[in-house]
Amino acid sequence: MSLRKFFKNIWLDVITLIVVGILFIVPFIFIILMASKTSQEASLFEFSWPSQFQLFDNIITVLQFGDNRMILALWNSTLLTVGSVTLIVLLSALAAYIMQRRSGKVISIANSVMLAGLIIPPAVVPTIFLLQQLNLYKTLIGLIFIEVAYGLPFAVLVFRAFIGSIPRELDEAAVIDGASALRVFFQVILPLLRSAMMTIIVVQSVAVYNDFTGPLYFLPGNQNVTVQLTLFSFISQFTSSYNLLFANAVVITLPALVMFLFFQRQIVAGVTSGAVKG
Amino acid sequence: MNTQRQTRVIQAVATTSKRHKPTMKIYPYWFFIPAAVIFTVFFLVPTLFAFYFSLTRWTLFDSEFIGFDNYSQFLSDPQLTSGLIHTIIYAVMTSGLKVVISLPLAYLLTSALHLKTLVRSIIFFPVLVSTVAVGITFSILMQPSTGLINSVIKIFGVSGPNWLGSPDLALYSVALVDVWKGLGFATVLCIAGILSIPQDYFEAARLEGGAWVKFRHIIIPLSRNAIFTVILLSFIGGLRSFDLIWTMTHGGPGFASDVLTSVIYKEYQAGFYGLSTAGNVVLFVLVTVVVYPLQRFFNSREIEL
């Protein structure tokens, strides 16, 4: 590369970085600055360094606010996310295995119904009615089933594509060697799905953790609060203390940041594979 | 080895009395049942219920059949019809902007840029952040007098608009934030599309012209599948969007940024369950009527590389 070309490329880098920095990094710096201020300073909405840096004090205030409501919310969200994602992974892998290996009328109906599940928005009030009939309304278990139902189509899609690349001869050979169907699945197929599984775990965890509409409709009430709702209900409670509102935003964004730092590759691979096959 | 296996297969066939292929036994249908049951009970059944309950006056405890009254109310009340129109505007605007911005951006990020991985990561991060947090942050940034965006505009001697407070602008302001949040996803899809184009095409283009020729005559036509995917997914997302609109404007000022999903929520809160469900059915129909033909059209124009 000639020197001139190198400098030309450097300019492109610098410009891109400045534009992207202003548009995509400044809002996050703003969140952190706001979360670090005193309430009087925060109410000015200025993009300025806080005179007293009290991010950690603010976070502790938020965590302890209203009988440790935030800690309860973090706990509930963790249960919700772990429970839903475990079920999604297990059930969708089993279903995708059958849907990929078998053919016929049942399977083709299942395929088209599942695709519809990716596109059609859920019917909210009838779902509430149904949950009430099953005594699952306002319960964490109820919401877990809902999240599983909404997450299954995507996960089946990704798993099915992956299973398609595993030769059938492998299952047949295992059966001939005397393995039962369950053993074939758990000891032959599932270990080969590790990368798809990773993708689904990461993508679905983010989706369930960030879900706002689900808890809003199906899990109202202070006992069952999840993190997305804490932030939403704090808008009205914290109108005079924007520093705490933003400290709350920092707390609930941290898990996403951790996911991002560790699993960015899987997430990108996941959203791409799911979307391209769909 | 191979013949040995073949004889074992033949033995296996011989031992199964059915004419059925022996392999099907290792793919039992019950593997499929737990997923099917949960999906049916918690997604399909409520969807089917919706068609009936949208025809009723409904209190969740009992329902009275009233025919198409909810629908006629939905389509005659200007507040509700404007929600329908806003939904379409929102979906068209967000999916249009996402594709128009993400494709050139993806081109830039697959070119000679040194920092492409870093830039891609930065743009992608908002995809993972909670929509509520994004909504709150931008509603502060978009404050008319003291918000950061208008403070920056003021430096240039112009006074910025009232982004979320003006009825003419609120819906578009929220749509811009939606584009901001979803751009990383669209860009990643476009990058995947561009990377799947065989290198030979670019070799040929190198002889013929510069970056624009490459973009216009290779990238656009040959990453068509990715472009279709971006349009389709952001269109579906736009039609179903709720979180961002609800946290930023609550559908206001007045009903200026109400979309179908926020109308459904408002009617639900007000206790008009039948009407809310009718809104839900209108949303199903809208999504189906728009998305299936679009998908069919895109499928027919897809290319194999």
Side-chain angles (χ1 to χ4, degrees):
Chain A
M1 196 191 296
S2 70
L3 207 60
R4 210 177 120 222
K5 207 171 166 195
F6 178 78
F7 276 108
K8 199 180 138 203
N9 282 343
I10 285 287
W11 272 114
L12 196 58
D13 270 288
V14 170
I15 294 168
T16 313
L17 207 58
I18 291 174
V19 172
V20 168
I22 291 175
L23 290 177
F24 288 88
I25 299 181
V26 166
F28 291 105
I29 297 177
F30 182 75
I31 295 178
I32 293 172
L33 289 176
M34 286 290 276
S36 312
K37 293 178 178 178
T38 61
S39 62
Q40 293 97 317
E41 250 187 308
S43 63
L44 301 174
F45 303 151
E46 279 172 351
F47 190 77
S48 59
W49 192 254
S51 55
Q52 277 174 284
F53 189 84
Q54 50 176 41
L55 177 63
F56 300 103
D57 298 333
N58 287 343
I59 286 178
I60 287 166
T61 313
V62 165
L63 288 178
Q64 292 172 339
F65 179 79
D67 268 349
N68 298 330
R69 202 175 110 107
M70 189 70 210
I71 293 172
L72 177 69
L74 284 167
W75 172 242
N76 284 339
S77 280
T78 308
L79 286 182
L80 175 68
T81 309
V82 172
S84 310
V85 174
T86 311
L87 280 175
I88 289 174
V89 168
L90 188 65
L91 300 188
S92 65
L94 278 168
Y97 177 55
I98 300 305
M99 287 168 76
Q100 207 283 322
R101 290 301 198 235
R102 276 181 174 264
S103 54
K105 212 167 194 175
V106 182
I107 299 300
S108 73
I109 292 173
N111 273 325
S112 45
V113 167
M114 197 195 61
L115 277 181
L118 278 177
I119 294 169
I120 294 173
V124 281
V125 188
T127 308
I128 292 176
F129 172 72
L130 185 96
L131 288 174
Q132 280 181 342
Q133 301 301 308
L134 300 172
N135 285 326
L136 290 173
Y137 183 53
K138 296 188 186 181
T139 65
L140 202 58
I141 304 286
L143 186 57
I144 288 177
F145 282 129
I146 298 287
E147 298 287 1
V148 173
Y150 296 173
L152 276 173
F154 172 80
V156 168
L157 208 68
V158 174
F159 272 135
R160 208 183 48 188
F162 254 78
I163 293 168
S165 65
I166 300 173
R168 267 166 195 272
E169 285 76 12
L170 214 59
D171 339 341
E172 285 161 14
V175 163
I176 289 161
D177 288 341
S180 67
L182 265 181
R183 266 189 77 176
V184 175
F185 178 75
F186 280 103
Q187 296 193 340
V188 179
I189 302 296
L190 213 53
L192 293 173
L193 293 178
R194 199 174 300 150
S195 69
M197 216 185 306
M198 204 56 222
T199 296
I200 289 167
I201 290 174
V202 174
V203 172
Q204 294 294 342
S205 305
V206 173
V208 174
Y209 179 83
N210 279 341
D211 186 24
F212 170 67
T213 322
L216 182 72
Y217 276 113
F218 309 123
L219 198 61
N222 278 331
Q223 266 312 302
N224 301 316
V225 68
T226 63
V227 289
Q228 303 304 324
L229 288 188
T230 59
L231 188 56
F232 186 68
S233 58
F234 281 5
I235 300 174
S236 46
Q237 285 163 10
F238 283 167
T239 37
S240 54
S241 9
Y242 283 98
N243 55 339
L244 298 184
L245 184 66
F246 279 88
N248 190 334
V250 169
V251 172
I252 75 166
T253 309
L254 279 178
L257 184 65
V258 171
M259 282 297 216
F260 176 71
L261 293 176
F262 287 100
F263 301 112
Q264 205 209 138
R265 184 167 303 170
Q266 280 87 349
I267 297 174
V268 169
V271 293
T272 322
S273 68
V276 172
K277 301 287 186 243
Chain B
M1 163 72 199
N2 219 355
T3 42
Q4 195 190 352
R5 229 194 88 208
Q6 277 173 358
T7 47
R8 282 158 101 185
V9 171
I10 290 165
Q11 280 167 0
V13 173
T15 48
T16 33
S17 52
K18 290 176 201 162
R19 256 170 51 82
H20 214 252
K21 274 189 239 155
T23 52
M24 282 305 135
K25 260 196 161 167
I26 61 174
Y27 308 125
Y29 271 122
W30 71 262
F31 274 20
F32 168 74
I33 287 171
V37 167
I38 291 188
F39 186 73
T40 307
V41 171
F42 293 97
F43 181 80
L44 285 185
V45 170
T47 304
L48 297 176
F49 276 0
F51 287 94
Y52 172 72
F53 284 117
S54 68
L55 303 173
T56 65
R57 189 174 292 122
W58 187 24
T59 62
L60 287 179
F61 299 104
D62 67 303
S63 58
E64 179 198 343
F65 191 82
I66 53 167
F68 286 93
D69 280 11
N70 285 326
Y71 291 100
S72 60
Q73 189 178 346
F74 213 98
L75 298 174
S76 62
D77 188 335
Q79 177 198 334
L80 303 182
T81 44
S82 73
L84 183 64
I85 293 163
H86 293 155
T87 308
I88 296 168
I89 294 176
Y90 189 88
V92 170
M93 187 178 160
T94 50
S95 59
L97 280 177
K98 277 178 195 170
V99 90
V100 166
I101 301 171
S102 68
L103 194 63
L105 196 61
Y107 180 39
L108 183 69
L109 295 181
T110 48
S111 67
L113 212 64
H114 301 282
L115 297 171
K116 50 190 168 195
T117 324
L118 176 69
V119 172
R120 195 193 68 182
S121 304
I122 294 172
I123 296 174
F124 191 76
F125 182 56
V127 175
L128 304 181
V129 175
S130 126
T131 311
V132 185
V134 168
I136 289 171
T137 307
F138 273 89
S139 53
I140 303 286
L141 291 173
M142 286 179 163
Q143 287 276 338
S145 51
T146 48
L148 184 60
I149 294 176
N150 279 2
S151 306
V152 172
I153 293 177
K154 210 182 279 170
I155 298 174
F156 299 99
V158 195
S159 64
N162 188 351
W163 297 97
L164 299 171
S166 138
D168 299 328
L169 209 60
L171 185 69
Y172 303 106
S173 305
V174 180
L176 285 180
V177 178
D178 190 312
V179 173
W180 180 88
K181 189 177 186 317
L183 192 64
F185 178 52
T187 307
V188 163
L189 291 182
C190 286
I191 290 176
I194 292 174
L195 292 179
S196 70
I197 300 174
Q199 212 48 45
D200 323 0
Y201 290 98
F202 293 108
E203 305 284 325
R206 188 168 299 162
L207 303 172
E208 311 234 340
W212 169 248
V213 173
K214 206 162 120 185
F215 185 68
R216 173 68 190 81
H217 294 287
I218 297 185
I219 304 276
I220 292 183
L222 295 184
S223 54
R224 204 191 294 167
N225 301 358
I227 297 173
F228 291 161
T229 309
V230 170
I231 296 177
L232 205 61
L233 289 182
S234 29
F235 205 84
I236 298 171
L239 292 176
R240 296 173 58 161
S241 174
F242 170 73
D243 304 10
L244 197 62
I245 294 168
W246 193 250
T247 39
M248 290 186 76
T249 65
H250 283 252
F255 310 107
S257 60
D258 254 331
V259 290
L260 278 176
T261 49
S262 67
V263 170
I264 293 169
Y265 186 66
K266 283 179 178 172
E267 300 300 343
Y268 158 73
Q269 271 187 318
F272 298 121
Y273 300 126
L275 192 60
S276 170
T277 307
N280 225 317
V281 173
V282 172
L283 184 61
F284 298 157
V285 172
L286 181 66
V287 171
T288 315
V289 162
V290 173
V291 169
Y292 279 104
L294 203 63
Q295 195 171 25
R296 182 155 297 182
F297 172 72
F298 285 166
N299 277 342
S300 71
R301 305 209 45 193
E302 242 177 32
I303 43 162
E304 291 282 330
L305 286 174

